[in-house]
Amino acid sequence: PYELVYDQDALLVVNENAGDVILTAEFQSYREERKLNIAICRKQDPESKGKVENVVGFIKGNFAKNRVYENIEQWNDAMLRWLARTGNKKVHNTTKKRPVEVFSLEKQHLRPAVKKINISPIDSSITRTVRKDNTILYLSNRYSVPLGTYTKEKNVYIEVTDDGNLLIRGEKDGPV
């Protein structure tokens, strides 16, 4: 595609000021390499991201609910089979078309992915906001930080070690 729409996320957006969006260095590099126009949904605005949320809800409720899988390959295989028999066959309530039909028209406007994405070595720390209950969210899990860590707009830095442990720092290069 030439343009992608994203939800505001700390992995993509550093800050926003009156519509001016500042992207993370890594995401900005990706955007430039792919020559993409990026649209970022406004925070807490269901109208700007409703279409995406509806698709996510449909997949969660129709495909993912009550399924058990042992590895990502099994999950992907089951998803492709579900798309072939259900997801791409269901008639959309608004457009009255099947997704597979719409995609066949839209794919002629897609650009080929000509090269593999070269991700430059980046800083391995990830920023997270400390919540009022002195916790942070990472990969859908809640982690406690010391009491008193929370202050308005306080960020901590998370680093995943080679052995899978999580290091949480108050400052980018500070103590654990």
Side-chain angles (χ1 to χ4, degrees):
Y2 292 94
E3 182 176 48
L4 295 175
V5 178
Y6 286 93
D7 196 2
Q8 282 202 19
D9 187 292
L11 295 175
L12 308 175
V13 178
V14 174
N15 202 349
E16 178 194 11
N17 184 12
D20 260 350
V21 177
I22 302 169
L23 302 175
T24 62
E26 297 83 8
F27 190 67
Q28 180 65 22
S29 173
Y30 168 77
R31 188 196 72 74
E32 289 170 359
E33 184 172 339
R34 289 292 183 200
K35 297 177 178 62
L36 291 170
N37 293 323
I38 301 296
I40 304 290
C41 295
R42 292 187 307 270
K43 287 184 180 179
Q44 300 173 343
D45 182 19
E47 292 168 355
S48 69
K49 57 186 176 180
K51 291 178 185 176
V52 172
E53 298 296 339
N54 285 340
V55 170
V56 170
F58 175 67
I59 292 170
K60 282 182 177 179
N62 197 302
F63 170 73
K65 191 173 183 178
N66 301 321
R67 289 187 193 255
V68 178
Y69 66 97
E70 294 178 19
N71 56 49
I72 193 67
E73 291 81 18
Q74 182 185 18
W75 178 266
N76 287 336
D77 185 51
M79 171 59 92
L80 291 172
R81 289 194 317 269
W82 174 81
L83 279 171
R85 72 174 179 274
T86 305
N88 284 331
K89 302 283 183 173
K90 186 176 179 178
V91 176
H92 190 276
N93 285 336
T94 304
T95 64
K96 306 297 183 209
K97 297 178 183 175
R98 290 181 169 84
V100 71
E101 297 164 358
V102 174
F103 180 67
S104 66
L105 296 172
E106 290 180 352
K107 72 180 176 183
Q108 59 191 321
H109 301 287
L110 295 176
R111 296 183 291 173
V114 292
K115 64 178 181 170
K116 185 177 179 181
I117 301 170
N118 294 320
I119 299 175
S120 60
I122 56 171
D123 188 357
S124 60
S125 67
I126 302 166
T127 306
R128 287 291 183 261
T129 302
V130 178
R131 299 158 55 108
K132 287 183 181 181
D133 61 353
N134 289 299
T135 60
I136 57 170
L137 292 179
Y138 177 69
L139 296 178
S140 300
N141 293 310
R142 194 179 314 238
Y143 294 92
S144 296
V145 294
L147 286 176
T149 303
Y150 169 79
T151 57
K152 191 172 182 175
E153 298 183 26
K154 169 73 175 173
N155 289 326
V156 294
Y157 299 88
I158 300 172
E159 186 176 335
V160 181
T161 63
D162 292 337
D163 56 352
N165 290 321
L166 216 57
L167 299 177
I168 302 173
R169 303 175 191 274
E171 297 174 17
K172 190 169 189 151
D173 297 319
V176 178

